[in-house]
Amino acid sequence: MRALVAVEAGEPIDVLRLESRPVPTPGAGQALIRVAATPVHASDLHVLRGRYGFSPAFPAVGGNMECVGRVAALGPGTEGLRAGERVVAAAVPAVPGPPVDGTWQEYLVADAHRLLPVPDRLDDSSACQLAVNPLTALLLVTRELDVRPGEWLLQTAAGSTVGRLVIQLARHLGIRTINVVRRREAVAEIRALGGDEVICTEDEDLVRRVTEIVGPAGVRKAVDCVAGPVGAQVAQSLAPGGETVVYGALSTHRQTDPAALTIPLSARSVIYETKAVRGFWLNRWFGTASPEEAQQVLSQVRGLVVDEVLSIPGGRPFPLERFSEAVELAEAPGHGAKPLFVFADDQDEGHGQEAPARPRYDLGKTTAQMDS
Ligand SMILES: NC(=O)c1ccc[n+]([C@@H]2O[C@H](COP(=O)([O-])OP(=O)(O)OC[C@H]3O[C@@H](n4cnc5c(N)ncnc54)[C@H](OP(=O)(O)O)[C@@H]3O)[C@@H](O)[C@H]2O)c1
């Protein structure tokens, strides 16, 4: 089978190699998954650069987050799954926890409790992105901040996949959103998606605009995935006693100057206005949640997506061979669709076991975007 392997930590384009590897064998309580689609998240690239919150032992198969596929074989004593079942593998390694197989390969072995059955009517593009960004949006809004109907929620990078999901969830729950984007072209799109207010940092002052929208006291709840000076302005926009949850640091990506890796907060404002700035990391959440709780929240997310309350932006499919283009697209400004690695049935080399019949992957509208 084919696997995209990082031979060492480094710039993904330089260290990734397409390799042929034996199909792994599932152990007790595990399943072998024939991967259909798996996304290229920016965080997958940070793992390879050695700039993420954990580091695999190299050489390592890339893709540490999620995929969709079908159960090709079950290990001894594995219960609750059947061969051929379509599942999402939440491959996000729990911290602390054992390492998880990378997803950028045709087959992977996963613990049964990390697998979530998904119905065929959910297309591969949505299913393979179910376990990370929608789950993050749900946890941020409903658990980390417990935003109530009618309350304002300020968020940065509103055009990101997480940001779009936050907007949809907020509308569903009656929450009002203030959405920060960095490009004027993104404003109309965010409004069309249901964002109540949009601030464009290209030509607007974030702090002043928040005050105009919610009043001079400021906003009580915010989520930020940009960090740096934008994250500091979010903290500045908070009302006394307000809270911002930092879950990403997009402005620090590829930065090497230590000063560019910070959120420059005003100490006086944090102290005298008793503001809270704290982090959220899905890996740590998986590390503290019980398997039952993780399954329960994943099921909740699946329900929201299957019932079309949440619509996950369609990805752009790439065969594994075109990994350089996929990796470049993942971090390109204004990249829009998220790159996905997809595996066609006719490229299956077989794995010496009787595999169930598999329908061809269905990427819905996005299949048309696949270059020949
Ligand atoms: N903590 C966690 O557990 C967790 C879980 C999931 C995701 N995340 C984080 O959430 C963030 C979004 O992920 P995603 O998959 O939703 O992203 P995505 O779909 O790839 O979208 C990236 C978005 O970020 C914007 N952006 C990039 N660099 C920026 C910068 N320097 N300043 C302002 N905006 C910038 C882009 O705007 P343009 O359109 O203008 O290029 C784009 O809208 C990432 O930081 C990711 O690591 C964290």
Side-chain angles (χ1 to χ4, degrees):
M1 67 153 186
R2 293 167 306 145
L4 198 51
V5 178
V7 289
E8 58 186 354
E11 202 41 50
I13 297 283
D14 301 329
V15 298
L16 284 169
R17 309 269 185 278
L18 195 55
E19 288 187 1
S20 183
R21 291 191 158 197
V23 173
T25 306
Q30 296 184 319
L32 177 70
I33 309 302
R34 206 299 184 176
V35 179
T38 176
V40 181
H41 289 301
S43 45
D44 291 316
L45 306 180
H46 295 323
V47 172
L48 302 183
R49 293 184 178 115
R51 290 185 59 153
Y52 201 60
F54 66 85
S55 196
F58 292 97
V61 175
N64 287 98
M65 301 300 157
E66 54 187 335
C67 67
V68 64
R70 287 188 185 269
V71 175
L74 295 172
T78 304
E79 291 176 353
L81 289 168
R82 55 183 169 72
E85 194 163 0
R86 188 161 179 262
V87 288
V88 161
V92 183
V95 175
V100 180
D101 252 5
T103 57
W104 297 349
Q105 53 184 337
E106 285 179 282
Y107 290 90
L108 63 82
V109 159
D111 291 341
H113 73 259
R114 287 182 169 277
L115 300 173
L116 182 78
V118 282
D120 281 351
R121 70 175 188 277
L122 194 64
D123 63 59
D124 276 354
S125 172
S126 299
C128 79
Q129 298 184 65
L130 191 73
V132 174
N133 285 337
L135 186 60
T136 297
L138 181 69
L139 291 172
L140 287 173
V141 173
T142 64
R143 295 199 176 201
E144 294 295 311
L145 284 174
D146 188 22
V147 192
R148 312 307 300 175
E151 275 192 305
W152 283 106
L153 174 65
L154 170 65
Q155 70 158 340
T156 56
S160 67
T161 306
V162 176
R164 287 163 191 261
L165 292 162
V166 164
I167 292 169
Q168 295 171 45
L169 190 61
R171 279 193 79 78
H172 179 63
L173 298 173
I175 294 162
R176 296 182 289 174
T177 54
I178 304 172
N179 301 280
V180 180
V181 295
R182 64 174 172 179
R183 290 180 297 118
R184 185 50 52 197
E185 307 91 82
V187 172
E189 215 182 322
I190 297 300
R191 281 197 199 287
L193 198 59
D196 295 287
E197 297 284 349
V198 188
I199 301 172
C200 177
T201 51
E202 188 180 312
D203 50 20
E204 289 181 288
D205 183 286
L206 195 161
V207 180
R208 196 175 67 234
R209 284 282 291 119
V210 171
T211 308
E212 283 169 7
I213 295 163
V214 301
V219 67
R220 288 198 54 80
K221 295 177 181 176
V223 290
D224 172 39
C225 66
V226 172
V230 170
Q233 287 163 33
V234 169
Q236 207 184 327
S237 308
L238 288 176
E243 193 173 10
T244 177
V245 176
V246 182
Y247 69 99
L250 287 161
S251 65
T252 73
H253 288 193
R254 321 288 284 271
Q255 304 288 332
T256 49
D257 175 3
L261 307 178
T262 63
I263 304 173
L265 299 174
S266 155
R268 290 168 59 90
S269 167
V270 169
I271 297 164
Y272 300 131
E273 296 173 69
T274 56
K275 294 174 175 177
V277 178
R278 65 186 171 84
F280 169 83
W281 190 30
L282 191 59
N283 299 66
R284 199 161 287 287
W285 183 83
F286 270 116
T288 52
S290 66
E292 294 74 31
E293 187 183 11
Q295 281 282 347
Q296 186 252 317
V297 184
L298 275 166
S299 304
Q300 193 182 351
V301 159
R302 177 184 57 191
L304 289 167
V305 176
V306 169
D307 294 346
E308 298 177 2
V309 173
L310 296 182
S311 164
I312 305 173
R316 179 172 171 194
F318 286 87
L320 212 53
E321 288 74 12
R322 290 186 32 210
F323 65 85
S324 303
E325 288 164 71
V327 161
E328 197 177 319
L329 180 68
E331 293 179 311
H335 62 70
K338 190 177 283 285
L340 314 175
F341 289 128
V342 295
F343 297 93
D345 285 351
D346 56 5
Q347 289 172 324
D348 187 354
E349 294 169 0
H351 57 98
Q353 301 171 55
E354 195 177 333
R358 292 182 297 269
R360 292 190 68 81
Y361 54 78
D362 171 18
L363 283 157
K365 288 180 201 149
T366 60
T367 306
Q369 298 170 327
M370 190 165 176
D371 300 340
S372 57

